[in-house]
Amino acid sequence: DLTLSGDGAVVNTATIRGRISIANPGRYDGGTFVPGPVLASFTNQGEVADGVFGETRAFANSGKIGSSTLRNSAVAIYGSDTLQFANTGAITSDGSAPAVQSSLSDATTFAATNGGTITGGFAASVSSGAQTTTAPAAVSLTNGGTITGAGRFNPAVRLYADFSEGTGTLTLANNGT
């Protein structure tokens, strides 16, 4: 296993037989919690057997993450304002949990593109929260690759957008499968 933290850009070209965790440990200062830095971006060009988990502002995969026997999500990423997701590689789970799972609160932008293969489903939950800007939240998924689910309770794509405390748009474009 490998744990990453900081606010920089990380590119993996190695084969990791465990998982990669992205941590942003915070601290208490005079009784007030101060969040840690958020990783600017994570790019996988290698192979990660047990998945990638954590908070980042941008995620890209052109390698291989997970396997058909992975019982958890192969990619579970979250954020608190903006998140870019791009896959041109292969992301796979056994389907007991979505292969890709993402969550974004206080969203201003969530943009996901898939030109590769996601086996086990893609799930995203986005909330506009108490937006600090007047700009509407923009949520999009563009699929030019292949996304397959795993039955009734884990469909190929599941998007949840809550704009109850702001405004927003949800765009789904599919010219893949």
Side-chain angles (χ1 to χ4, degrees):
D1 291 358
L2 178 64
T3 300
L4 308 171
S5 65
D7 60 0
V10 175
V11 177
N12 175 54
T13 59
T15 297
I16 308 292
R17 293 202 167 111
R19 74 176 182 172
I20 294 177
S21 298
I22 303 168
N24 59 342
R27 61 183 170 76
Y28 282 93
D29 184 7
T32 302
F33 182 74
V34 179
V38 176
L39 195 65
S41 66
F42 176 81
T43 301
N44 180 56
Q45 298 171 348
E47 186 172 334
V48 183
D50 293 338
V52 178
F53 306 90
E55 184 174 8
T56 184
R57 295 193 191 294
F59 175 91
N61 177 54
S62 61
K64 179 182 176 190
I65 301 175
S67 71
S68 61
T69 60
L70 181 62
R71 298 186 72 117
N72 297 307
S73 294
V75 174
I77 53 176
Y78 59 92
S80 60
D81 55 8
T82 183
L83 179 59
Q84 306 288 324
F85 172 91
N87 178 52
T88 57
I91 301 174
T92 307
S93 75
D94 73 351
S96 59
V100 175
Q101 194 160 263
S102 58
S103 176
L104 187 62
S105 61
D106 295 331
T108 55
T109 304
F110 175 77
T113 59
N114 178 52
T117 302
I118 297 174
T119 305
F122 177 95
S125 175
V126 180
S127 170
S128 63
Q131 292 179 356
T132 57
T133 68
T134 57
V139 177
S140 65
L141 170 61
T142 302
N143 180 45
T146 301
I147 303 175
T148 57
R152 180 175 161 205
F153 298 106
N154 194 7
V157 174
R158 180 175 47 210
L159 295 177
Y160 173 79
D162 177 2
F163 302 128
S164 62
E165 295 194 38
T167 61
T169 59
L170 176 65
T171 305
L172 177 61
N174 184 32
N175 59 3
T177 55

